[in-house]
Amino acid sequence: MSIHATAIVSDKAIIGNNVEIGAYTIIYDNVEISDNTVIEAFCEIGVSNHLSNGNKLYIGPKSHIRSHSVFYEGSVFLESLVTGHRVTVREKVKAGKNLQIGTLSDLQGHCEIGDFVRFHSNVHIGQKSKIGNYVWIFPYVVLTNDPHPPSDTLLGVTVEDYAVIATMSVVLPGAYVRKGCLIGAHSSIKGDTEEDMIYAGSPAKKICSTSKIKLHDGSGDAYPWRKHFHRGYPEDLVRTWISE
Amino acid sequence: MSIHATAIVSDKAIIGNNVEIGAYTIIYDNVEISDNTVIEAFCEIGVSNHLSNGNKLYIGPKSHIRSHSVFYEGSVFLESLVTGHRVTVREKVKAGKNLQIGTLSDLQGHCEIGDFVRFHSNVHIGQKSKIGNYVWIFPYVVLTNDPHPPSDTLLGVTVEDYAVIATMSVVLPGAYVRKGCLIGAHSSIKGDTEEDMIYAGSPAKKICSTSKIKLHDGSGDAYPWRKHFHRGYPEDLVRTWISE
Amino acid sequence: MSIHATAIVSDKAIIGNNVEIGAYTIIYDNVEISDNTVIEAFCEIGVSNHLSNGNKLYIGPKSHIRSHSVFYEGSVFLESLVTGHRVTVREKVKAGKNLQIGTLSDLQGHCEIGDFVRFHSNVHIGQKSKIGNYVWIFPYVVLTNDPHPPSDTLLGVTVEDYAVIATMSVVLPGAYVRKGCLIGAHSSIKGDTEEDMIYAGSPAKKICSTSKIKLHDGSGDAYPWRKHFHRGYPEDLVRTWISE
């Protein structure tokens, strides 16, 4: 365990083995940080909030939270969470393993996230979002939830396995981005979609099957991406993907 | 008064009764923080700047500034300011009471803001903006000001009472968003608008009256929103809204 | 030299004459900060990263890095770099002199930037971007690079001298924004462009020559902007621009 001399760590926090805590970072009471995790400098981990119903923040083993990040109490992240800098995560996020959250991303809480999900920089995840496994969300994408703002209605969006949402798109309240879909950059998408289709524009229209897109170097199909893109995924998963 | 041992607070700053100042926060000279206010950790309050003309930063009573926020000297916020994390506020903001500024929002200064205005996360308010009362601005909205960038012309936008600007819209230089208007998500709006109308698209077109939108649960009209949405507003105001 | 008592500065870092380092800032090992530079509070300068190949971070003389910023090792900035707050800069940025990087901007590294470039707030520069001299990029603009995300292909964008990209536009992978072009707000631009033309919309279309735009006050042509906008540029450069 290596806690920087300037870090402020509550006696009540549960800190696992071989955890590193950076300079000036604050760890509050209601927190469990699992083994082999790194929390960098200037973070606040486990901010108290009445919406957490007293539930702790759980950070799974082998996680890495980069500097200036703020996590509230009341969320769960299974193993190998990795974040960029300045991430904000509110209460009641229930996330699987190997989640990546890019720099400046803002998770508003009250949402479900599967395994091996990748949020790039500056992604905004509204409350009541349901995100499957192996999903990719690119910079400046916003998942919304209020069909007639402002109101008390929260109509979260659903993003299914392997779906990809490209840069600066808005997913409108209650939309379904189905398995393997690609939402083009700078689009707004509402309602339902069909699996493995491309939607683009504002409002987005169905363009064609993702299977029409070829890799830039001419080496084959670009989608399903899991056939050729394997960085950061475990070998056994990749073998399954290739043999599908 | 509760000032964390690691906070750096200027002797020249005026600090009211029952003020809390968090760990590692820096309060500069030219600042007045009113009674019953909370400033969380890692903030900088009252950053010196020659554009402030020596005017102090005034934070009204019962305010709450969340962690990692930066406020310059030379702005005024009446009572009950509430911010998210990582807010940036430059000089010469003149704001009414009960302003909410969401996480990562960036107020460029030199603007006027009425009472009970709500900026959600990641809102960018350009200089010379004039914002009325009870306005709602949602994530990733930008209020611009330069009609032919880059130039020395600052043509601010005007947003009138009760107007709502939905996620990821751009308000172009000199635009007027009139009373009760709704600007749809992912739109760009320029020129003038009519009261209580919906505009959407890029460039935005007039769609219909806001009165055409029904609440998702079928319980009535969604607009004017003040007829049904009352969270965080004082009871006497709500009574007026209902009886209008 | 003025290093705040709470700053943490590596003995291995090379610190020039008359450098100021703010409260709680961390300077790591592999860093050279040149003379007459200011690093404000809560920064991390020279974050170690294996992608830097051991190259140091070089910050040229007369630079000013504002608070809460994070710079990785392995980048070079010539003289007079100025940043806003909360800037993130990854490895392998090769930048000229007089670069301005606005608050919350995120440089993903592995890119080239000329002299006197201006990034406003919240600009996202993807890897493999090539940016000329005297370029202006406005808030919430994203330069992308992956033609079929996710993939291992990085097809960076090129932005030539004097080009201007207005608020909340996406530059798609491999696009060329030619010399003197203006990309309108809330656009998405792909492929090639012609010099000194305006492109707008999503997908962007060629609108007209920039020479058609007049200054708002009727005093002449708005473009080329270098004929009338001179704030922050050296006198001899301005004289050249006027006499061209």
Side-chain angles (χ1 to χ4, degrees), chain C residues 65-215:
Chain C
I65 295 177
R66 290 201 168 79
S67 68
H68 294 91
S69 291
V70 176
F71 279 69
Y72 281 58
E73 61 176 12
S75 287
V76 172
F77 296 86
L78 300 189
E79 65 178 64
S80 303
L81 168 69
V82 175
T83 84
H85 305 277
R86 290 177 251 287
V87 157
T88 310
V89 180
R90 292 268 305 269
E91 68 285 346
K92 296 195 180 172
V93 177
K94 197 175 162 186
K97 62 184 178 180
N98 288 76
L99 173 61
Q100 292 183 4
I101 307 175
T103 290
L104 290 168
S105 288
D106 183 356
L107 279 64
Q108 300 265 303
H110 307 257
C111 64
E112 292 171 33
I113 301 169
D115 293 335
F116 290 97
V117 169
R118 305 278 182 262
F119 301 144
H120 209 284
S121 301
N122 218 323
V123 161
H124 181 101
I125 305 296
Q127 293 183 5
K128 303 289 177 194
S129 297
K130 286 187 185 185
I131 298 171
N133 304 301
Y134 320 112
V135 164
W136 282 86
I137 302 188
F138 284 90
Y140 294 70
V141 166
V142 178
L143 307 193
T144 67
N145 55 28
D146 187 344
H148 31 47
S151 80
D152 285 316
T153 307
L154 287 180
L155 204 61
V157 308
T158 304
V159 184
E160 294 186 351
D161 295 0
Y162 305 108
V164 176
I165 306 175
T167 298
M168 210 174 284
S169 289
V170 177
V171 185
L172 292 167
Y176 286 80
V177 179
R178 295 291 180 189
K179 189 179 167 186
C181 272
L182 169 63
I183 310 299
H186 213 258
S187 299
S188 67
I189 179 87
K190 69 174 179 181
D192 206 348
T193 54
E194 295 169 38
E195 290 188 5
D196 296 312
M197 287 286 170
I198 303 176
Y199 295 79
S202 185
K205 292 174 184 155
K206 184 165 68 173
I207 307 294
C208 62
S209 167
T210 57
S211 64
K212 304 267 184 181
I213 309 292
K214 302 299 170 192
L215 285 168

Side-chain angles (χ1 to χ4, degrees), chain A residues 4 6 22-24 40-42 66-68 84-86 102-104 120-122 136 138-140 162 164-168 182 185-187 201-202 213-217 222-223 225-226 228-231 233, chain C residues 5-8 24-26 28 42-44 47 49 68-70 72 86-90 104-106 108 122-124 140-142 144 146-153 155 168-170 172 186-188 202:
Chain A
H4 195 276
T6 60
Y24 303 118
E40 294 190 358
F42 306 113
R66 288 200 170 78
S67 69
H68 295 92
H85 304 278
R86 292 177 250 286
T103 290
L104 289 169
H120 209 284
S121 299
N122 219 324
W136 282 86
F138 284 90
Y140 294 70
Y162 304 109
V164 177
I165 306 175
T167 297
M168 210 175 284
L182 169 63
H186 213 259
S187 300
S202 184
I213 310 292
K214 302 300 170 192
L215 285 168
H216 187 75
D217 65 2
Y223 299 93
W225 58 262
R226 63 188 179 274
H228 66 84
F229 186 79
H230 302 138
R231 194 170 62 226
Y233 301 100
Chain C
T6 59
I8 300 172
Y24 303 119
T25 275
I26 304 171
Y28 295 102
F42 306 113
C43 289
E44 283 190 290
V47 176
N49 188 284
H68 294 91
S69 291
V70 176
Y72 281 58
R86 290 177 251 287
V87 157
T88 310
V89 180
R90 292 268 305 269
L104 290 168
S105 288
D106 183 356
Q108 300 265 303
N122 218 323
V123 161
H124 181 101
Y140 294 70
V141 166
V142 178
T144 67
D146 187 344
H148 31 47
S151 80
D152 285 316
T153 307
L155 204 61
M168 210 174 284
S169 289
V170 177
L172 292 167
H186 213 258
S187 299
S188 67
S202 185

Side-chain angles (χ1 to χ4, degrees), chain A residues 13-91:
Chain A
I14 301 168
I15 311 287
N17 295 313
N18 195 30
V19 167
E20 282 181 50
I21 297 175
Y24 303 118
T25 275
I26 305 172
I27 313 286
Y28 294 103
D29 296 353
N30 198 13
V31 171
E32 179 173 351
I33 299 173
S34 306
D35 298 353
N36 302 306
T37 286
V38 176
I39 314 282
E40 294 190 358
F42 306 113
C43 290
E44 284 189 290
I45 305 296
V47 176
S48 169
N49 187 284
H50 71 281
L51 296 169
S52 311
N53 300 130
N55 290 318
K56 73 180 170 191
L57 171 66
Y58 174 82
I59 304 288
K62 292 177 281 179
S63 293
H64 190 146
I65 296 177
R66 288 200 170 78
S67 69
H68 295 92
S69 291
V70 176
F71 279 69
Y72 282 59
E73 61 176 15
S75 287
V76 171
F77 297 85
L78 300 189
E79 65 178 63
S80 301
L81 168 69
V82 175
T83 84
H85 304 278
R86 292 177 250 286
V87 157
T88 311
V89 180
R90 292 269 306 271
E91 68 284 347

Side-chain angles (χ1 to χ4, degrees), chain A residues 6 44 68 72 88 122 149 152, chain B residues 24 67 85-86 140 223 231:
Chain A
T6 60
E44 284 189 290
H68 295 92
Y72 282 59
T88 311
N122 219 324
D152 286 316
Chain B
Y24 303 118
S67 69
H85 305 276
R86 292 177 248 286
Y140 294 68
Y223 299 92
R231 195 170 61 226

Side-chain angles (χ1 to χ4, degrees), chain B residues 130-165:
Chain B
K130 286 186 183 185
I131 298 172
N133 305 301
Y134 320 113
V135 164
W136 282 85
I137 301 187
F138 284 90
Y140 294 68
V141 165
V142 178
L143 307 193
T144 67
N145 55 29
D146 187 343
H148 31 47
S151 80
D152 285 317
T153 306
L154 287 179
L155 205 61
V157 308
T158 304
V159 184
E160 294 186 350
D161 296 0
Y162 305 110
V164 176
I165 305 175

